[in-house]
Amino acid sequence: MEKDISQAVIRRMPRYYRYLGDLLDAGVERISSNDLSKKMHVTASQIRQDLNNFGGFGQQGYGYNVKYLYDEIGKILGLTETHNMIVVGVGNLGQAVTNYVKFDKLGFKIIGLFDSNPEKEGQDVRGMKIMMMEDLPKFVKENKVDIAALTLPRAYAEKTARDLVNLGITSIWNFAHVDLDDIDGIVVENVHLSDSLMRLSYNALNNKNI
Amino acid sequence: MEKDISQAVIRRMPRYYRYLGDLLDAGVERISSNDLSKKMHVTASQIRQDLNNFGGFGQQGYGYNVKYLYDEIGKILGLTETHNMIVVGVGNLGQAVTNYVKFDKLGFKIIGLFDSNPEKEGQDVRGMKIMMMEDLPKFVKENKVDIAALTLPRAYAEKTARDLVNLGITSIWNFAHVDLDDIDGIVVENVHLSDSLMRLSYNALNNKNI
DNA sequence: TAGATTGTTAATCGATTAACAATC
DNA sequence: TAGATTGTTAATCGATTAACAATC
């Protein structure tokens, strides 16, 4: 039973990962928390605190080895294994998500598209045939599904999420504009585009550069 | 010079707006911070604190009038005026964003699509013709553009953002996987999908229900 | 060894929660 | 008026920053 790491820290980890990846591409071998802090506009103290939640990856007098730290953060974030995903709700957003995931070079892989509209059955999207929701239980038995992207209208989102969790798919990438946190055993990551737009609107109005 | 309202508060405002909208749809006329807090799984204290950053919208002994509070939050978020948007980078994600904004019933309106690939010039996307980036200065002079959605590869994002800001479009809805905060006068709202996926991966791995 | 930089403890800051007087 | 519930001040909690001893 390890100590719980705060979501504030988790939110920052992908950003470290990105900067370290860039340094790696640039051929940089080592970096100190101080130099990294200048690039990222955060304090060196925060970088060291954040990393030390997961272990001592640095070395006194040397700093951090870029490649090593990059790989370690990758492990922490679970990027060493492939994650099989399905997309539930194959409208425009669902198709964009499908495409996005396909082209991003992280280890996420779309293995099935599902919709409840019979007219879409068998339609081809990026080389995959759309399946019907009623085919999902069988599909889950025959395939390892790690994550479901929920890209359907909010009216159907909660019921569908419950069904998914009951089928054993507990990790939901939620694009529907509802909160799903009530559902027992669920792990949700929300992408609420309209919330994001509203914040932009507010900050634009008030001229906030965050 | 009003006091600055923290981004932690701003992040929560759209969620209040959504819950109040639902209450409104359900015909609820008034609500106390306590009842709302139970629905939203936050403390009543936080709701009252958050709202009082912007004004005293409630009434002792009564609570909050749902319609009134909903409208006030709408005003705070700048949802009373239409926001004209352009989409810069009309690949798959750009098209999805176009479609998404069109169907969402907030006051955001796409008035132009721009790309730098000459092959796309004049192509029709949801009833709009794709224009070339070199047409943008003219377009900005002739149209009021409030927000640009940046949906292009990260390699082009920063330069393009600088160009946009120079043209006077300072509010950027950034889907490219780079930080743009350095740019003078910019207001950025990031939608970093891959960061979101990584957090989901971490939380799934560690079985965190946030 | 001397210098650099981490890991970690202590201090500060800000955000959240609790409490309660004001007031509808 | 009595009861309910806000607006707001005070207390607590957690996250960020500073400081420094440990150590490469």
Side-chain angles (χ1 to χ4, degrees), chain B residues 23 26 30 34 46 52 60 62 80 83 95 101 105 121-122 158 162 165 179 184 191 193 197 206:
Chain B
L23 287 168
R30 67 188 185 92
N34 201 251
Q46 180 163 79
N52 274 85
Q60 285 96 332
Y62 171 88
T80 44
H83 299 258
Q95 295 190 31
V101 173
K105 275 149 234 89
E121 176 152 28
E158 189 177 339
R162 286 188 191 280
V165 171
D179 295 322
D184 238 40
V191 181
L193 293 177
L197 257 189
N206 297 275

Side-chain angles (χ1 to χ4, degrees), chain A residues 63-78:
Chain A
Y64 299 88
N65 179 287
V66 173
K67 171 89 178 99
Y68 174 70
L69 184 55
Y70 178 78
D71 288 344
E72 287 301 314
I73 296 179
K75 278 185 217 163
I76 290 163
L77 293 172

Side-chain angles (χ1 to χ4, degrees), chain A residues 53-148:
Chain A
N53 280 296
F54 302 98
F57 303 123
Q59 202 165 65
Q60 285 95 331
Y62 172 87
Y64 299 88
N65 179 287
V66 173
K67 171 89 178 99
Y68 174 70
L69 184 55
Y70 178 78
D71 288 344
E72 287 301 314
I73 296 179
K75 278 185 217 163
I76 290 163
L77 293 172
L79 306 177
T80 43
E81 332 156 38
T82 298
H83 298 258
N84 290 334
M85 294 179 66
I86 59 170
V87 173
V88 179
V90 197
N92 217 264
L93 188 59
Q95 294 188 32
V97 167
T98 304
N99 208 51
Y100 172 80
V101 173
K102 274 199 132 173
F103 280 88
D104 209 66
K105 274 150 233 89
L106 300 165
F108 297 84
K109 198 180 157 196
I110 308 260
I111 60 166
L113 308 177
F114 291 86
D115 205 291
S116 58
N117 181 350
E119 287 182 15
K120 290 189 181 168
E121 176 151 27
Q123 274 185 25
D124 198 282
V125 174
R126 330 244 158 247
M128 310 180 83
K129 294 220 180 309
I130 298 178
M131 293 175 266
M132 291 293 98
M133 283 305 286
E134 55 258 37
D135 304 330
L136 189 53
K138 185 159 175 285
F139 188 87
V140 172
K141 269 190 205 102
E142 295 170 357
N143 298 273
K144 184 168 164 286
V145 178
D146 302 305
I147 293 172

Side-chain angles (χ1 to χ4, degrees), chain A residues 7 15 19 22 41 77 92 96 99-100 126 154 171 173 179 182 186 189 194 196 201 203-204 209, chain B residues 7 15 18-19 22 41 77 92 96 100 126 154 171 173 177 179 182 186 189 194 196 201 203-204 209:
Chain A
Q7 288 296 314
R15 191 155 177 266
Y19 274 84
D22 289 350
H41 303 302
L77 293 172
N92 217 264
N99 208 51
Y100 172 80
R126 330 244 158 247
R154 60 180 301 209
S171 300
W173 202 21
D179 296 321
D182 288 357
I186 205 170
E189 169 71 24
S194 54
S196 176
S201 170
N203 285 322
N209 192 340
Chain B
Q7 288 295 316
R15 191 155 176 265
R18 171 154 54 92
Y19 274 83
D22 289 350
H41 303 303
L77 293 172
N92 218 264
Y100 172 80
R126 330 243 159 249
R154 59 179 302 209
S171 301
W173 201 22
H177 204 207
D179 295 322
D182 288 356
I186 205 171
E189 169 72 23
S194 54
S196 175
S201 170
N203 284 321
N209 191 340

Side-chain angles (χ1 to χ4, degrees), chain B residues 141-205:
Chain B
K141 270 188 207 105
E142 295 170 358
N143 298 272
K144 184 170 164 286
V145 178
D146 304 305
I147 295 172
L150 255 203
T151 45
L152 38 70
R154 59 179 302 209
Y156 310 114
E158 189 177 339
K159 185 190 173 326
T160 306
R162 286 188 191 280
D163 293 345
L164 289 167
V165 171
N166 287 336
L167 287 170
I169 308 173
T170 51
S171 301
I172 307 285
W173 201 22
N174 178 37
F175 287 75
H177 204 207
V178 275
D179 295 322
L180 301 173
D181 313 74
D182 288 356
I183 300 170
D184 238 40
I186 205 171
V187 177
V188 199
E189 169 72 23
N190 292 308
V191 181
H192 287 336
L193 293 177
S194 54
D195 287 15
S196 175
L197 257 189
M198 292 185 215
R199 287 190 294 266
L200 178 56
S201 170
Y202 174 87
N203 284 321
L205 208 58

Side-chain angles (χ1 to χ4, degrees), chain B residues 3-71:
Chain B
K3 67 177 173 306
D4 243 35
I5 291 156
S6 85
Q7 288 295 316
V9 174
I10 304 307
R11 253 196 306 281
R12 288 189 291 266
M13 296 307 286
R15 191 155 176 265
Y16 293 135
Y17 191 68
R18 171 154 54 92
Y19 274 83
L20 288 161
D22 289 350
L23 287 168
L24 202 55
D25 289 346
V28 177
E29 208 174 71
R30 67 188 185 92
I31 192 150
S32 67
S33 57
N34 201 251
D35 288 353
L36 188 57
S37 82
K38 277 172 198 141
K39 277 187 193 299
M40 295 185 64
H41 303 303
V42 296
T43 64
S45 205
Q46 180 163 79
I47 293 174
R48 294 203 300 275
Q49 287 275 23
D50 283 352
L51 296 178
N52 274 85
N53 279 296
F54 302 98
F57 303 124
Q59 201 166 65
Q60 285 96 332
Y62 171 88
Y64 299 87
N65 179 286
V66 173
K67 171 88 176 101
Y68 174 69
L69 184 56
Y70 178 78
D71 288 343

